[in-house]
Amino acid sequence: MLSVSDLHLSFGGIKALQGITFEAKPGEITGVIGPNGAGKTSLFNAISGFYTPDRGRVAFAGRDITGLTPDKRAELGIARTFQNIALFRGMTVLDNIKLGGHTRLKTNVWQALAYFGPARREELAFRAEIEERVIDFLEIDHIRKAPITALPYGLQKRVELGRALAMRPKVLMLDEPVAGMNREETADMARFILDVQEEFGTTILLVEHDMALVMDICSHIVVLNFGQQIAEGTPAEVSRDDEVIEAYLGAAA
Amino acid sequence: MITGNLKASYAADERVFDNRNKWAFFAASLAVLAGMAGFANDYVILVACQMGILLIAVVGVNVVTGYTGLISLGHAAFVAVGAYTVAIFHAGFAGVIPDGLMALIAIPVAVAVSALVGIIVGLPSLRVKGLYLAVATLSANFIVIFLIEQEAFAHWTGGMVGINTPAPDFFGWELDTKREMFVLIAALGVLTLLAVQNLFRTRVGRAFIAIRDRDYSAEIMGISLLRYKLTSFAISAALCGLSGALFAYFYARILPEQFELALSLELVAAMIVGGMGRTMGPVFGVIVIVMVPEVIKSLFGVATGGEASMAQLLAPLQDIAFGLLIVLFLLFEPLGLNHMADRALRAMNRWPFAR
Ligand SMILES: Nc1ncnc2c1ncn2[C@@H]1O[C@H](COP(=O)(O)OP(=O)(O)OP(=O)(O)O)[C@@H](O)[C@H]1O
Ligand SMILES: [Mg+2]
């Protein structure tokens, strides 16, 4: 579904990514793990189109998308959440989620100015859809009119997931969805991620430090360390890998 | 809980006038405007026309700066383009296009030309933000005025001495009194407010706000910054162009100096005082920005006892008093009058149970 091959990226002297190659299989959850500064977020940024790789390519459904801008990639159906929540803070939960639907809505400027007619029809159908597929699904009915700033951290993360889901993405990239959450919130989020996979068949890329979660829900894992891909395989394979064990022990020490 | 806000359907929840108070306010506003057209005295009509013309331009500035977060100090340029397009169109097509159709064509042409100029002036917004964009738009203002004043174009623009526009004529109904102009201005003002409000009920307006709040997040939602920043500039400039067209008809004679930086600043000041990125903000802002100088003027009139030499001496003080008022506003109510009105309405809704 989504593949990167021989991806290289550097910031001045820092080599953030050095020859990353893997594929996220359709409908599966692929985990990307590694110690702090390993290059996980940089990899996501290269896939989203915020960073242009020095070398290598990103392909989506067999098509090379390395040269596309972020908005064009979103149009193809690649959605993501950010490590440090990037919601629209001036808006309500509902408006944030509505923004996720931007690429799927068709209203043009003229229809928007008139509102009554095609724009209204589309808006109402869309509202009904997100109420069911996003707001009910993520159990956030009670906060739909709340401003983002009034929400606790865990709920903000959930709303950001909701915004991504409103896109009906084919590929969903989650950058540390449970970071900073307590155990209960983490369990909820894990359930939502599995529900997304099951109900919508979405291909998911997951960056996460919570090893229990990663080992639990990913079918395939890519391990990065200092920008290098040091291992790849099933959770069982990866957790047996000597280099992986060393990288994590080294980071912990 | 305020039970008046409970909704039975999503359609009801998506309405602009989502409670009885808002409907009542809207109906009352229309009634007041209609009453004014019939009964207000000439002075009130004159001031109201000024406000209406300014309002449409401030709504335009609000679209690009208040909602999209792109700072512009050059919007007077678009008002100028609208005004001059109308004036030149009338001069150029006199006798070719029937009088009764002229304004019906000239106004949309002015709006379109302004939108086009807006797209060009908006191009720097793709590369620069904040202060840099303010300077870029400011320069656009200077360039437009410079071009209008050029001797080489004076044949069309009238150069420094300005140009005249005849009263608009719709199928034989000639709007040759200020009162008739008021009807046109009020109608277009209300339509402008409603259309812009509609914009923000759909994906287009939401995209603008998204760009203002967090541009990279907007991109990840599939919003093309190129397309939407330029769309915002186009809509904004189009509204200023409409304002300019009315300006040309209303004042009959236009001069380049009327569209200089001072007007751009006035538009921005009105937007800020009213409340940036709020529907009714421009309305409040324009009322203040037009009324306050009038009030100050009459206060000074009383203070000087109508003595001309004294009044002249104190004239600069009026500007200072006005400037001071705006600064105080920014200090004590940076969210604008719209925010104050919100607070008052909320208190009214809850009274007497809470304040
Ligand atoms: N915009 C940037 N400019 C300069 N250096 C950067 C930039 N973004 C990332 N880096 C560097 O690239 C390396 C990889 O960073 P990245 O954020 O991708 O790590 P990460 O694996 O996501 O870490 P974490 O687990 O802490 O989120 C780090 O050394 C970081 O300092
Ligand atoms: Mg990271």
Side-chain angles (χ1 to χ4, degrees):
Chain A
M1 194 68 186
L2 183 97
S3 68
V4 299
S5 45
D6 197 30
L7 213 58
H8 287 256
L9 177 72
S10 56
F11 303 104
I14 302 168
K15 291 183 174 144
L17 298 174
Q18 305 179 54
I20 310 300
T21 304
F22 70 91
E23 191 192 344
K25 296 222 170 58
E28 291 191 7
I29 303 181
T30 304
V32 177
I33 61 171
N36 289 108
K40 305 178 295 293
T41 300
S42 302
L43 173 66
F44 268 23
N45 282 338
I47 296 175
S48 313
F50 287 123
Y51 296 157
T52 316
D54 308 330
R55 192 140 61 83
R57 53 175 237 146
V58 181
F60 173 77
R63 175 179 167 197
D64 187 345
I65 58 167
T66 321
L68 297 186
T69 52
D71 56 293
K72 287 281 175 294
R73 298 184 198 208
E75 265 175 34
L76 292 176
I78 303 179
R80 79 176 271 191
T81 64
F82 290 84
Q83 185 170 346
N84 352 308
I85 306 175
L87 287 166
F88 302 106
R89 298 179 65 83
M91 299 181 203
T92 61
V93 168
L94 184 61
D95 282 336
N96 265 280
I97 293 172
K98 280 182 177 175
L99 262 159
H102 184 84
T103 55
R104 295 180 31 238
L105 301 174
K106 297 289 164 279
T107 299
N108 63 34
V109 173
W110 306 106
Q111 293 165 337
L113 289 168
Y115 189 71
F116 291 93
R120 181 167 184 272
R121 269 198 301 281
E122 186 178 66
E123 280 298 316
L124 291 183
F126 177 57
R127 173 77 192 269
E129 181 203 308
I130 54 174
E131 284 288 342
E132 187 191 320
R133 277 185 61 119
V134 180
I135 294 180
D136 281 353
F137 182 82
L138 294 179
E139 299 161 16
I140 46 179
D141 313 59
H142 56 299
I143 52 163
R144 62 162 82 74
K145 288 293 174 68
I148 295 302
T149 39
L151 299 180
Y153 184 79
L155 272 181
Q156 291 193 17
K157 285 246 166 195
R158 208 189 289 181
V159 172
E160 205 187 13
L161 173 63
R163 186 179 66 174
L165 288 182
M167 261 176 82
R168 290 212 193 185
K170 297 196 176 74
V171 172
L172 175 61
M173 304 196 290
L174 305 171
D175 197 345
E176 306 202 10
V178 304
M181 286 191 177
N182 63 31
R183 198 174 303 179
E184 191 186 340
E185 289 171 327
T186 302
D188 281 343
M189 186 54 94
R191 183 164 54 85
F192 290 132
I193 296 173
L194 286 169
D195 283 352
V196 169
Q197 179 199 25
E198 198 168 307
E199 277 206 35
F200 310 132
T202 312
T203 307
I204 297 173
L205 260 178
L206 173 72
V207 164
E208 190 44 71
H209 283 293
D210 186 327
M211 280 310 135
L213 176 72
V214 172
M215 294 300 162
D216 217 23
I217 70 174
C218 296
S219 54
H220 191 80
I221 294 176
V222 177
V223 190
L224 307 185
N225 192 19
F226 292 115
Q228 302 209 331
Q229 182 172 335
I230 58 172
E232 184 185 358
T234 63
E237 284 165 7
V238 164
S239 52
R240 274 199 307 269
D241 191 291
D242 289 340
E243 220 176 329
V244 174
I245 293 168
E246 196 186 329
Y248 271 91
L249 287 180
Chain B
M1 170 167 274
I2 301 164
T3 49
N5 287 343
L6 284 181
K7 305 291 157 25
S9 71
Y10 299 137
D13 197 36
E14 295 282 332
R15 282 189 195 125
V16 170
F17 299 112
D18 60 354
N19 64 41
R20 229 180 294 145
N21 292 348
K22 288 187 190 168
W23 260 118
F25 177 77
F26 182 60
S29 306
L30 291 186
V32 167
L33 289 176
M36 281 169 72
F39 306 108
N41 69 33
D42 288 350
Y43 172 72
V44 171
I45 288 290
L46 185 81
V47 174
C49 284
Q50 282 176 6
M51 285 183 183
I53 292 170
L54 211 56
L55 171 69
I56 294 174
V58 175
V59 172
V61 177
N62 200 23
V63 167
V64 85
T65 305
Y67 286 105
T68 320
L70 306 171
I71 296 171
S72 168
L73 291 183
H75 265 58
F78 309 131
V79 182
V81 170
Y84 274 90
T85 304
V86 159
I88 295 169
F89 192 90
H90 272 272
F93 290 97
V96 182
I97 296 172
D99 286 348
L101 294 178
M102 196 73 111
L104 275 180
I105 303 173
I107 295 175
V109 167
V111 170
V113 173
S114 299
L116 213 71
V117 176
I119 290 173
I120 296 166
V121 173
L123 283 175
S125 71
L126 303 174
R127 303 302 302 270
V128 298
K129 292 184 203 174
L131 214 51
Y132 297 95
L133 184 58
V135 172
T137 47
L138 184 80
S139 324
N141 201 159
F142 285 125
I143 292 170
V144 166
I145 299 302
F146 175 80
L147 291 177
I148 291 172
E149 287 177 344
Q150 280 309 296
E151 266 314 304
F153 304 131
H155 174 64
W156 295 285
T157 64
M160 307 289 269
V161 290
I163 185 172
N164 287 334
T165 312
D169 176 336
F170 296 96
F171 307 112
W173 176 34
E174 203 182 353
L175 309 187
D176 53 1
T177 65
K178 299 285 183 232
R179 198 169 294 272
E180 286 166 303
M181 275 305 293
F182 172 77
V183 175
L184 177 68
I185 293 169
L188 289 175
V190 171
L191 272 180
T192 299
L193 282 172
L194 289 177
V196 167
Q197 176 63 31
N198 282 342
L199 201 60
F200 293 97
R201 304 164 78 184
T202 68
R203 70 194 283 264
V204 182
R206 284 196 297 266
F208 292 168
I209 300 176
I211 291 173
R212 176 192 71 190
D213 280 4
R214 216 184 265 271
D215 52 3
Y216 67 90
S217 234
E219 263 190 299
I220 215 72
M221 295 295 109
I223 294 163
S224 158
L225 297 186
L226 172 97
R227 166 186 275 203
Y228 281 93
K229 281 184 177 178
L230 293 184
T231 303
S232 178
F233 257 99
I235 293 173
S236 170
L239 291 175
C240 286
L242 176 60
S243 165
L246 294 172
F247 191 104
Y249 286 127
F250 184 76
Y251 293 104
R253 182 169 200 87
I254 50 175
L255 295 163
E257 70 201 34
Q258 290 168 308
F259 307 98
E260 284 174 357
L261 179 61
L263 177 60
S264 289
L265 292 178
E266 199 175 333
L267 298 178
V268 171
M271 172 191 67
I272 294 175
V273 169
M276 288 169 70
R278 305 295 309 273
T279 315
M280 291 300 285
V283 178
F284 294 124
V286 161
I287 291 176
V288 168
I289 220 120
V290 174
M291 288 300 289
V292 168
E294 296 287 318
V295 171
I296 293 178
K297 211 179 351 179
S298 57
L299 284 181
F300 271 72
V302 173
T304 55
E307 205 173 307
S309 61
M310 195 63 179
Q312 205 159 31
L313 204 67
L314 288 179
L317 279 181
Q318 293 182 18
D319 288 343
I320 293 173
F322 184 54
L324 211 62
L325 195 90
I326 290 186
V327 171
L328 287 176
F329 221 97
L330 292 183
L331 282 177
F332 294 107
E333 191 57 82
L335 294 179
L337 283 164
N338 203 326
H339 187 66
M340 286 170 82
D342 281 352
R343 266 202 317 249
L345 275 180
R346 221 170 351 193
M348 250 164 65
N349 254 342
R350 291 180 182 172
W351 190 85
F353 303 108
R355 279 200 304 151

